[in-house]
Amino acid sequence: MFHRRPVLATAAVLTALAAALAPGATAGAAPAGQGAGPQAVAPPGGAAARADVNGDGYADVVVSTGARLTYAGDPNTLGVDRGGSVYVIPGGGSLPTAPAVVVSQDSHDFVPGSGEDDDTFGQALATGDFNGDGLADVAIGNPTESFGTKLGVGMVTVLYGRTTSPYLGLIPNTLTQIDQGQPGVPGDNEAGDRFGASLAVGDFNADGYADLAIGQPGEAVGTTQRAGAVTVVYGGTHGLTATGSVGYTQDTAGLNGTPETDDRFGWSLAAGDVTGDARDDLVVGASGEAVAGTTDAWGGVWLLPGSASGVDPATSSSFSVASTGTQDHLRSVAVGKFHGGAYADVLVTADRKKGAPQYAGALVVARGGSDGVSASRLQTLDQSSPGIAGTPEENDFFAGSLAVGDLDGDGYDDLAAGSLREDNVGSVTLLRGGTAGLLSATGTTVTEDTPAIGASAQPGEGFGYGLRILDVTGDGTPELLVTAPWEDGSLQSGALFRLSVTATAGSLTVTSATSTTRGTLGGGSAFGPATPFAGGTVVTLDTNQQPQLSKG
């Protein structure tokens, strides 16, 4: 548990929080200093964005298999897939350009632990260059890992990029297994902590090494159960080490709120430069945060700025579900420069707008600024918004998965948002960034029936469960990667689509597609590619079962 005491932070001074949390806020004008055009938007790069695991000059795909999404006891999840497994798929002109590698707790001697039926190895994934050698490294969350009789403690496995197959391995003097029993890592291993349920990579101190944020939404703070916590572990020449790692809760000085039962602070994490100071900032979501005076809605989001010394909670900002116009829970978070300029925006998925059908899905956009985020700069979108196709329907799960990147090379980030159960087949909506943010152009929605894809949508395939925007071909233009974990109605086949996207008449259009399944990937898994991708959000329906409506 985390004892109720403040965590010391740096004394760097940024502009104070612009406005107190207030219900009913709507999208406002750009914050002071926010430019209208794409100036100051740099192409992806740096240690935190690195995705080339094997060093051949092409970004590689790291994505979980479908093993973790099946029900416990499925005989097909025995062997290498037991408890979850992860693909490393070499990038290049085609996917895969070489046989994929499957990594699990039973696949290679260098992976710590062993697969168990109740493990969820690969529920969270992240890539970044933790040791500065130019290769992307991989962090793998397993939040239900047990330690002895303590169930659901959780751990994170960190494997380092290599130029030869299996493309991952160990380096000396670093943390390969991160858990709260490791010396120097804050907290203690306790049942139900769910350490590693969410992950985010950013360079929070701008030292050129990627750092790792780890969510543990089940963490107790004092005697307050499932209040939640986040641990930040910093990179360096030896990769990730416990030296300087820090834990944060709502009891940390500078963070708004109080630890309460079932807040689940750390449910979701993201990183990006929201404050415009050339350092990554940390975004933390709490899916169960209760707000006084608000009924039938839970959730809060915090922005912890980066600084020369790392994450700085003393200058944090936040907003709650009370200001979003949504109902039930806030879920995943993401970051992108959808308006251009120096400040990234924060995205939050929600179960639905107020009054919309259950689990219809909604997306909250929080404008960034030098003051972080504010309840006065929020906009909430769903399938009833202008330019977004479809109608909010029960169990659509619009924005249940997200991927961010500049698909058309105009200097603004674009968004791919999965509607996980749209028409029981799944769809993906493409929203183009611009001076008006994600409503700058009419959105485009695609399914497997879209002519450029031509795969024939079938019930239950889950097209859009996994999303990633990444230049895997090395031509300078990112592609959109989409998975359908249950392609053709099979629990095991899985499909990975690589979509080429361009801007046509102002909107994003899919022009061509290729696909691959388990049978052509290789690697030895009994399951195809699923979700999440490293670099995509943790999907709302991680277990293919309805999430809880009540707190938690």
Side-chain angles (χ1 to χ4, degrees):
M1 76 173 61
F2 275 64
H3 299 289
R4 301 191 65 146
R5 63 179 186 270
V7 177
L8 296 179
T10 65
V13 178
L14 297 178
T15 305
L17 180 63
L21 298 179
T26 57
Q34 173 75 53
Q39 69 273 11
V41 176
R50 204 152 287 155
D52 182 4
V53 175
N54 61 11
D56 64 355
Y58 296 97
D60 303 311
V61 179
V62 178
V63 61
S64 284
T65 74
R68 196 192 68 261
L69 298 177
T70 63
Y71 297 106
D74 186 334
N76 294 310
T77 63
L78 300 178
V80 72
D81 295 306
R82 187 175 186 180
S85 52
V86 174
Y87 278 113
V88 179
I89 305 172
S94 60
L95 287 180
T97 55
V101 171
V102 171
V103 176
S104 74
Q105 289 184 296
D106 293 322
S107 66
H108 301 86
D109 290 342
F110 57 77
V111 182
S114 58
E116 299 164 316
D117 288 343
D118 57 354
D119 284 347
T120 49
F121 185 85
Q123 180 174 317
L125 292 173
T127 53
D129 187 0
F130 301 124
N131 64 335
D133 65 353
L135 304 180
D137 310 311
V138 179
I140 304 170
N142 182 1
T144 58
E145 177 74 25
S146 298
F147 286 74
T149 60
K150 297 177 181 178
L151 304 180
V153 175
M155 64 175 274
V156 175
T157 300
V158 182
L159 302 174
Y160 289 81
R162 292 175 46 177
T163 57
T164 58
S165 182
Y167 309 125
L168 295 172
L170 309 182
I171 62 174
N173 305 315
T174 190
L175 285 175
T176 294
Q177 175 177 322
I178 305 178
D179 63 73
Q180 291 179 290
Q182 299 283 351
V185 177
D188 303 292
N189 283 339
E190 297 170 312
D193 280 351
R194 294 185 57 82
F195 186 87
S198 57
L199 300 172
V201 169
D203 188 358
F204 302 119
N205 54 10
D207 65 352
Y209 298 97
D211 309 312
L212 180 66
I214 303 168
Q216 54 249 47
E219 184 76 39
V221 179
T223 60
T224 305
Q225 299 299 309
R226 298 173 300 282
V230 175
T231 297
V232 177
V233 184
Y234 289 92
T237 55
H238 295 295
L240 296 174
T241 65
T243 302
S245 61
V246 183
Y248 303 97
T249 73
Q250 288 188 73
D251 222 15
T252 299
L255 292 184
N256 184 49
T258 302
E260 298 169 309
T261 300
D262 288 324
D263 276 350
R264 300 191 189 274
F265 183 83
W267 174 276
S268 55
L269 298 172
D273 187 7
V274 178
T275 59
D277 64 353
R279 296 185 181 95
D280 284 328
D281 309 311
L282 177 62
V283 180
V284 181
S287 68
E289 174 76 7
V291 182
T294 300
T295 58
D296 298 326
W298 302 268
V301 176
W302 287 257
L303 189 285
L304 285 65
S307 75
S309 300
V311 172
D312 181 12
T315 54
S316 66
S317 54
S318 63
F319 61 88
S320 79
V321 71
S323 304
T324 64
T326 64
Q327 191 171 342
D328 300 331
H329 291 273
L330 300 181
R331 299 284 182 180
S332 298
V333 292
V335 174
K337 292 187 175 180
F338 306 109
H339 291 83
Y343 307 111
D345 305 318
V346 174
L347 301 183
V348 192
T349 63
D351 285 344
R352 54 174 164 164
K353 269 189 175 181
K354 284 185 178 179
Q358 189 177 59
Y359 298 130
L363 184 65
V364 179
V365 184
R367 292 293 302 272
S370 60
D371 59 347
V373 294
S374 169
S376 66
R377 298 194 301 268
L378 302 182
Q379 180 184 42
T380 299
L381 311 175
D382 70 356
Q383 289 178 294
S384 68
S385 299
I388 298 180
T391 301
E393 298 170 310
E394 185 173 350
N395 293 331
D396 275 352
F397 290 95
F398 170 75
S401 60
L402 301 174
V404 175
D406 185 2
L407 284 165
D408 57 355
D410 65 353
Y412 298 91
D413 276 334
D414 309 307
L415 178 70
S419 295
L420 307 182
R421 289 183 178 170
E422 180 78 23
D423 297 329
N424 198 30
V425 297
S427 67
V428 178
T429 297
L430 304 179
L431 299 175
R432 190 182 186 196
T435 55
L438 293 176
L439 295 183
S440 295
T442 300
T444 303
T445 296
V446 298
T447 70
E448 290 195 34
D449 284 334
T450 297
I453 299 174
S456 184
Q458 303 294 324
E461 289 181 315
F463 181 79
Y465 248 74
L467 296 173
R468 176 76 154 112
I469 296 174
L470 187 67
D471 180 11
V472 294
T473 61
D475 63 356
T477 301
E479 291 81 34
L480 173 60
L481 306 178
V482 184
T483 58
W486 305 283
E487 181 71 5
D488 296 329
S490 167
L491 286 178
Q492 294 178 255
S493 60
L496 169 62
F497 295 86
R498 188 190 72 194
L499 310 184
S500 297
V501 180
T502 189
T504 304
S507 296
L508 296 172
T509 303
V510 175
T511 58
S512 64
T514 62
S515 65
T516 185
T517 63
R518 173 179 60 87
T520 54
L521 282 174
S525 174
F527 295 84
T531 189
F533 285 92
T537 61
V538 174
V539 12
T540 298
L541 285 173
D542 184 72
T543 62
N544 196 23
Q545 300 178 49
Q546 303 291 90
Q548 295 178 331
L549 262 181
S550 58
K551 287 183 64 176

